[in-house]
Amino acid sequence: MGVSTGYRLEDLVFLFKQLEGLGLRFVIIGNTCIYYAMGRRVFEDDVDLYIYEGSLVSAESSLRSIADEMGWDVGSTELGTPSLIVRNKGEEIVVDLYEALYDFYVPEEIIEASRIISLDSISMRILTPEQHIVLKARAGSEESVEDLARYADLVENGELKVNIQEIKRLAQLFEDMKTIIHRLRKAGFQL
């Protein structure tokens, strides 16, 4: 495979329609939210989708059939949920599918307040930077903390605009609000 030139979210519309056809409703989470808000439209990292309606378990065999038919690979995320390697125009795009599992969840209030974007013929939900940052702080893994420090740098450099009051408000949706705020401050957010 050659050097990656990246992909656009529009390159995944076929997959998004397939997921909806399986009764799965989802929101784009992960780093894509940050870069999209910064105006990027070409991505190289994986795409994380959070399924908030429908069940990955009940859709998994259908997902595998679609992947087989399309020549895609199926793996799994660190939580054991499906991960698809979608091939499109010479690109391999990793699409990780998540749903509420263990302490990993996205509150309904966040989903309902997420941004709606248009991609070709469909509308999609994508988290705002503030929503993603709070969820990242809640996760608290070493990788999450590194991402938060990178986001704080982007904010400080003026490349990423965030509403600090909204971040504080969203942190209050979680019982571990104090921990979330502490991690954000430690990463460099001026809260």
Side-chain angles (χ1 to χ4, degrees):
M1 198 171 114
V3 175
S4 173
T5 55
Y7 63 89
R8 299 173 62 80
L9 290 175
E10 287 82 356
D11 295 335
L12 293 170
V13 165
F14 174 78
L15 170 63
F16 297 155
K17 286 181 176 178
Q18 294 291 319
L19 294 173
E20 287 177 356
L22 296 175
L24 302 176
R25 298 194 33 112
F26 52 90
V27 58
I28 298 173
I29 61 174
N31 295 341
T32 306
C33 304
I34 298 295
Y35 298 125
Y36 191 89
M38 290 171 58
R40 276 201 207 153
R41 295 299 178 263
V42 177
F43 305 95
E44 291 179 14
D45 291 344
D46 57 355
V47 176
D48 297 332
L49 303 179
Y50 177 79
I51 309 299
Y52 61 87
E53 195 174 292
S55 163
L56 278 174
V57 172
S58 62
E60 191 162 358
S61 66
S62 299
L63 274 174
R64 288 185 182 280
S65 298
I66 292 166
D68 285 346
E69 198 177 298
M70 299 302 297
W72 301 341
D73 293 327
V74 180
S76 64
T77 67
E78 65 276 3
L79 294 180
T81 54
S83 177
L84 300 171
I85 299 172
V86 175
R87 291 181 182 79
N88 182 309
K89 301 176 188 166
E91 290 291 321
E92 286 192 352
I93 309 164
V94 177
V95 180
D96 290 336
L97 305 171
Y98 295 98
E99 63 186 345
L101 205 58
Y102 311 114
D103 67 345
F104 182 90
Y105 72 97
V106 178
E108 196 173 317
E109 182 180 327
I110 287 181
I111 293 166
E112 288 174 4
S114 62
R115 182 175 174 187
I116 296 177
I117 59 172
S118 290
L119 302 175
D120 290 344
S121 56
I122 64 169
S123 292
M124 298 244 355
R125 289 190 171 276
I126 185 168
L127 294 184
T128 65
E130 293 86 356
Q131 293 167 334
H132 173 66
I133 286 167
V134 168
L135 291 173
K136 189 64 89 167
R138 183 167 187 272
S141 68
E142 198 174 307
E143 183 187 337
S144 296
V145 172
E146 288 169 12
D147 285 343
L148 287 170
R150 202 166 37 252
Y151 302 156
D153 287 345
L154 290 170
V155 170
E156 196 173 308
N157 297 338
E159 295 176 65
L160 175 65
K161 304 231 180 305
V162 295
N163 179 330
I164 295 296
Q165 294 311 314
E166 178 66 0
I167 289 174
K168 287 181 186 174
R169 188 189 73 75
L170 290 167
Q172 293 172 11
L173 296 175
F174 297 96
E175 288 177 14
D176 49 353
M177 177 191 85
K178 285 187 170 97
T179 305
I180 292 169
I181 297 290
H182 173 75
R183 286 177 183 149
L184 289 168
R185 285 184 177 139
K186 194 173 169 191
F189 285 92
Q190 303 297 313
L191 298 178

